Amino acid sequence: MNKTTKTVVIIFLFLLLGGLFGYTVGSSIKSIDKSKNITQVLKDNCDCKEVNQIIYAKGIQYGSNGLSTEKGEYQLVDCKFFSVKKEAQKIQDLLSSKIKGFNTVDLLELEFVNGNRSETIIIKNGEIQ
């Protein structure tokens, strides 16, 4: 290989690595935005005393609900509603309509805590389980 070819290959490799780095940073920023957006939608549309984000993680994880690459857990405390299932459906519809790419979130756990009672709803890839 002559010097010019080596230079072109090196420049191409640096551009490829730069593109990969840019993509990774962009993905990370978008996941942070989804986390904030989900929290905001829950706070704005649920009649709860508290909405707490427990965790929002991006990366390969394995837990009781299977393998996921993007996972969020939220706790909704002392909410006013008639049925957990209907409230979960309302939340799922709102998140799907207001958050771009919501169906790419592998696992979303919503824990409703009312008094001594607690119930968890799981949404995988935008669908209630």
Side-chain angles (χ1 to χ4, degrees):
M1 277 171 85
N2 61 27
K3 221 174 190 181
T4 307
T5 307
K6 285 182 181 179
T7 305
V8 169
V9 169
I10 289 172
I11 289 172
F12 178 74
L13 288 174
F14 275 114
L15 288 174
L16 186 65
L17 287 173
L20 181 62
F21 178 75
Y23 174 77
T24 304
V25 169
S27 298
S28 176
I29 289 170
K30 285 181 185 177
S31 75
I32 291 169
D33 287 343
K34 267 193 232 172
S35 160
K36 289 180 181 177
N37 291 340
I38 290 171
T39 303
Q40 196 61 47
V41 167
L42 292 173
K43 285 181 178 180
D44 291 346
N45 296 287
C46 296
D47 189 10
C48 303
K49 284 186 181 177
E50 292 180 42
V51 174
N52 302 313
Q53 178 181 334
I54 306 300
I55 187 171
Y56 197 91
K58 194 164 184 159
I60 297 174
Q61 302 143 51
Y62 185 78
S64 60
N65 293 310
L67 184 69
S68 65
T69 57
E70 191 170 3
K71 176 183 180 180
E73 290 182 29
Y74 295 85
Q75 184 181 54
L76 294 95
V77 180
D78 290 333
C79 300
K80 295 177 184 172
F81 53 82
F82 294 107
S83 165
V84 172
K85 289 181 182 181
K86 287 182 182 178
E87 185 71 6
Q89 185 63 51
K90 179 187 98 172
I91 291 170
Q92 186 263 342
D93 292 340
L94 285 166
L95 293 173
S96 293
S97 66
K98 293 189 177 202
I99 297 175
K100 185 178 179 181
F102 172 69
N103 62 345
T104 62
V105 177
D106 291 335
L107 183 62
L108 186 68
E109 293 183 28
L110 302 174
E111 180 184 10
F112 294 92
V113 179
N114 287 339
N116 294 332
R117 228 177 84 204
S118 173
E119 191 168 340
T120 302
I121 299 293
I122 296 172
I123 301 174
K124 287 187 178 182
N125 297 318
E127 298 295 323
I128 297 173
Q129 300 299 302

